[in-house]
Amino acid sequence: MTPGATRAAALALLAAALAGCSDDDPADSTEEPRTSASTSTDPSASATTEPPLPSYLSAGELPAPLGLNDVDARTVEALPFADFAVAAGSGVWVSGVDPGAVRYDASGAITARVEVPGEVVQALAATPDDVLIPVVFPDQLLRLDATTGKVLARVELPDEPLREGAVGIDGDVGYVLVDVLDPRILVIEGDRITDEIPAPDGATAVRAGSGSLWVPTSGHTVERYSLKEETWKSIAVGPDPRFLDVGFGAVWVMNQGDGSVTRIDARTGTAETLPVTGEPIGGGDLTVGAGAVWLRTDSQVARIDPSTHAVTHVIDLPPGSASAAATDDLLVITNHDHDAVHLVPLPLPIS
């Protein structure tokens, strides 16, 4: 097989394996549920030891679900493929809406649009000032002004970003996970790539915060890279971790294998896995904002109180995958299977 054919085959295998925001179900487990410790370990010998086996949790205690009408949602058409959402300051940016990405303000109005060359197949990352959008065909990272959408930088990437969870930002430094054959994390400052960090085996995404990079893997772990010490530590989480976000002194991880959420203390690295849906999540997202953690599944959004770890609200959705993001005044839920965005005013009704 030629080098080009080898790379194409590897990309095809990766695309089939990653469930993310697509409608494909994660791989079914043929093993009985098993338990694993939730404490941090040193992965220095990870190449020669088996990954930890996760616990598969049943559903947690959930409130009665609310419909979109119950939360005064407004559903608007969003073409051609409303997909990833990220909160940035007082607005929410959504990829896949003509002409490429758009910004919704607190009223739900579109206040900025940016044309995106290529295809956005990755999650977005943002600060109150900047939005990072990795794209493929061509392989680039766009840095936008979070309010106006003005393109502040276009950074050419040496390889294709991994799909769906490949970008993080901490302060003004961006991090992009690239290349299925030689996975590594590019460090991007301003309009330049300034460094590369080898990624752990089975890396599927990257987020940044609390002085570390957080990388979920196919081995049911999140690998923590200390930016100060330049060392990795392995943290066992739930089955098939994928989307994650940093906030409220912790890292929150969506486990697609059983619909649970793992909370990792950002200081100590200790982990606690919270039962939520009790069922695999075929596609969705997880984000923090507006005083809560929001778990987007392929049929619901669950609001988790970061202090009590309890699910306070569940919103039923038309079946279909995509994303969610929240500002203080607005929850934006995308639904690419229905060409729609659901705009939900916050706070939610008291249950």
Side-chain angles (χ1 to χ4, degrees), residues 2-281:
T2 65
T6 301
R7 180 181 178 84
L11 289 170
L13 287 172
L14 180 71
L18 299 183
C21 270
S22 70
D23 286 334
D24 298 333
D25 289 334
D28 293 332
S29 172
T30 58
E31 298 184 74
E32 291 297 319
R34 303 181 223 189
T35 59
S36 64
S38 61
T39 56
S40 300
T41 58
D42 185 347
S44 59
S46 59
T48 58
T49 60
E50 294 184 359
L53 295 171
S55 299
Y56 285 76
L57 302 181
S58 57
E61 294 185 13
L62 303 179
L66 301 170
L68 289 170
N69 289 337
D70 298 324
V71 294
D72 297 324
R74 180 162 61 94
T75 298
V76 298
E77 185 178 64
L79 295 171
F81 196 77
D83 199 358
F84 288 104
V86 67
S90 61
V92 172
W93 280 88
V94 174
S95 71
V97 182
D98 280 334
V102 300
R103 177 186 184 271
Y104 293 88
D105 70 3
S107 71
I110 293 178
T111 60
R113 301 176 184 266
V114 61
E115 184 174 356
V116 177
E119 183 181 357
V120 183
V121 292
Q122 291 81 26
L124 312 181
T127 68
D129 300 317
D130 292 352
V131 177
L132 299 186
I133 303 180
V135 301
V136 298
F137 316 125
D139 301 333
Q140 292 183 342
L141 179 71
L142 303 184
R143 185 186 293 266
L144 310 181
D145 181 280
T147 302
T148 68
K150 178 182 178 181
V151 178
L152 304 176
R154 296 180 187 269
V155 182
E156 300 297 327
L157 303 178
D159 291 290
E160 180 177 316
L162 266 68
R163 302 199 168 215
E164 298 199 336
V167 63
I169 188 171
D170 191 12
D172 59 356
V173 182
Y175 301 90
V176 182
L177 179 62
V178 299
D179 196 352
V180 64
L181 297 181
D182 180 24
R184 59 201 189 278
I185 299 166
L186 306 178
V187 181
I188 300 175
E189 301 181 58
D191 60 357
R192 297 184 304 113
I193 298 171
T194 59
D195 200 1
E196 290 186 359
I197 301 169
D201 292 342
T204 59
V206 63
R207 288 295 193 191
S210 299
S212 297
L213 301 183
W214 307 88
V215 181
T217 76
S218 57
H220 315 300
T221 67
V222 167
E223 305 297 325
R224 176 183 186 171
Y225 180 79
S226 169
L227 293 168
K228 180 179 180 180
E229 299 174 0
E230 298 184 350
T231 57
W232 289 95
K233 287 188 178 296
S234 184
I235 302 168
V237 294
D240 303 314
R242 188 60 187 284
F243 296 105
L244 69 167
D245 207 353
V246 184
F248 312 113
V251 179
W252 304 83
V253 185
M254 179 181 85
N255 301 307
Q256 285 186 283
D258 64 359
S260 64
V261 171
T262 297
R263 179 194 182 275
I264 303 171
D265 186 288
R267 182 178 61 85
T268 66
T270 56
E272 174 190 5
T273 297
L274 316 173
V276 184
T277 72
E279 298 178 351
I281 299 174

Side-chain angles (χ1 to χ4, degrees), residues 281-305:
I281 299 174
D285 201 1
L286 181 144
T287 188
V288 300
V293 178
W294 305 89
L295 176 68
R296 166 65 157 110
T297 76
D298 27 27
S299 61
Q300 294 178 326
V301 167
R303 179 191 183 275
I304 301 172
D305 185 307

